[in-house]
Amino acid sequence: MEQIQDWEMYAKEYTQKFIDFLPDLLAAIFMLLIGLWIIRIIVKYIRKIADSRGYDPALENFIVSLINWGLKILLFVVVISQLGIETTSLVAAIGAAGLAIGLALQGSLSNFAGGVLIIMLKPFKLGDWIEAQGVSGSVVEISLFYTKLNTFGNQRVVIPNGELSNDNITNYSHNETRRENLTFGISYDNDIKKAKEVLQNLVNEQKDIVEDPAPQILVGELGDNSVNLLVRYFAPNSVFWDIHWYMIEEGKIRLEAAGMTIPYPQRDVYIYDQTKMNGTVEKESKPTIES
């Protein structure tokens, strides 16, 4: 009988406590539902503004995600406070856990910081052709931790943002045009002015080559075996490589058609006859040409 009376006493006590606690619980649940609904509206509104202003997709996702999680953490603290739980110790515990996690994930945090810098400073964007960390390719994805490239050979390269943000980055797509610097070697016996005229006519025929700054045909070097002519011009990124390959092939064809000689490297090779005759060593010189 005493045990039954004890159970009845406990039941009455905790039932009364639950009844007393019920308004706070209902208020916390109501606050949680309303808070999540408001956060969803705020995030949707921010995303709409970012879309209307043409923000970079990576920057937009980062901002929306940051605001979303920040508001949810704030809502969680408010709801816990409404339930009567002391938030000071909870915040201290979260801070200690965050410190431990931060020490364990130093590399990931470095990548995260690098991702934030890349998204904010925008050294490149989706679709740009860049060169960094010894590889080059087209940017297909920028996340908070990694940047993904597609190389010329259609391989996927994943670069940690921590290393990428601290390295030199060459962005070939940032400017609308790029400068080319081709070299054509001709013989010392050829007419330099005629060769320059042939190359100038070839450049003038390419309608996509930029007129300002004007293309240049220069004598770049008096080499060991050839006079090297430089062909310098600016071309749009969209047709840069098409012009590059065409100029190399057509330049050789037209120089040869104009009677120009593209020389091979030459060396004099001496052959020594080690056969001893009368105490002397005979020497035979045979100049040869090697390519």
Side-chain angles (χ1 to χ4, degrees), residues 14-35:
Y14 285 105
T15 299
Q16 185 62 42
K17 288 183 177 180
F18 177 74
I19 293 173
D20 295 338
F21 179 70
L22 187 59
D24 291 336
L25 178 62
L26 293 177
I29 294 175
F30 178 77
M31 187 179 298
L32 177 63
L33 296 177
I34 294 298

Side-chain angles (χ1 to χ4, degrees), residues 63-263:
I63 294 175
V64 170
S65 177
L66 186 63
I67 294 176
N68 182 37
W69 283 106
L71 291 176
K72 285 182 177 179
I73 292 174
L74 180 61
L75 176 62
F76 174 75
V77 174
V78 173
V79 170
I80 290 296
S81 177
Q82 177 63 34
L83 292 175
I85 300 175
E86 184 63 37
T87 57
T88 304
S89 58
L90 178 63
V91 171
I94 293 175
L99 178 61
I101 294 173
L103 293 175
L105 301 175
Q106 291 184 20
S108 297
L109 291 178
S110 174
N111 291 336
F112 175 80
V116 172
L117 289 176
I118 290 173
I119 291 173
M120 298 300 294
L121 299 179
K122 295 183 180 180
F124 53 83
K125 62 182 184 299
L126 294 178
D128 283 354
W129 188 276
I130 68 171
E131 181 177 354
Q133 292 291 307
V135 296
S136 60
S138 177
V139 181
V140 296
E141 182 179 341
I142 306 172
S143 66
L144 286 177
F145 294 94
Y146 299 97
T147 295
K148 297 180 181 179
L149 310 179
N150 270 354
T151 67
F152 182 77
N154 201 31
Q155 291 104 7
R156 176 64 57 87
V157 177
V158 180
I159 304 177
N161 285 336
E163 299 177 5
L164 186 60
S165 62
N166 291 316
D167 190 20
N168 295 328
I169 300 173
T170 302
N171 189 340
Y172 294 99
S173 304
H174 184 268
N175 298 320
E176 294 182 359
T177 60
R178 291 171 56 185
R179 192 183 77 174
E180 180 60 283
N181 192 11
L182 300 176
T183 302
F184 293 91
I186 62 174
S187 172
Y188 275 90
D189 297 329
N190 295 152
D191 188 339
I192 294 179
K193 292 185 178 181
K194 185 177 180 181
K196 292 177 64 176
E197 182 181 354
V198 170
L199 295 174
Q200 185 66 59
N201 291 334
L202 176 60
V203 170
N204 293 339
E205 293 175 6
Q206 312 310 310
K207 302 304 181 183
D208 290 319
I209 289 181
V210 177
E211 295 181 358
D212 185 19
Q216 295 177 304
I217 313 296
L218 307 168
V219 178
E221 181 187 15
L222 300 178
D224 295 335
N225 305 295
S226 63
V227 178
N228 296 324
L229 303 180
L230 301 182
V231 180
R232 306 170 69 179
Y233 59 84
F234 283 84
N237 286 321
S238 58
V239 293
F240 179 85
W241 288 109
D242 294 334
I243 298 176
H244 171 86
W245 303 124
Y246 179 81
M247 288 290 294
I248 292 177
E249 179 179 352
E250 192 67 15
K252 179 180 183 299
I253 293 174
R254 296 199 184 186
L255 286 174
E256 290 179 339
M260 303 295 140
T261 302
I262 299 178

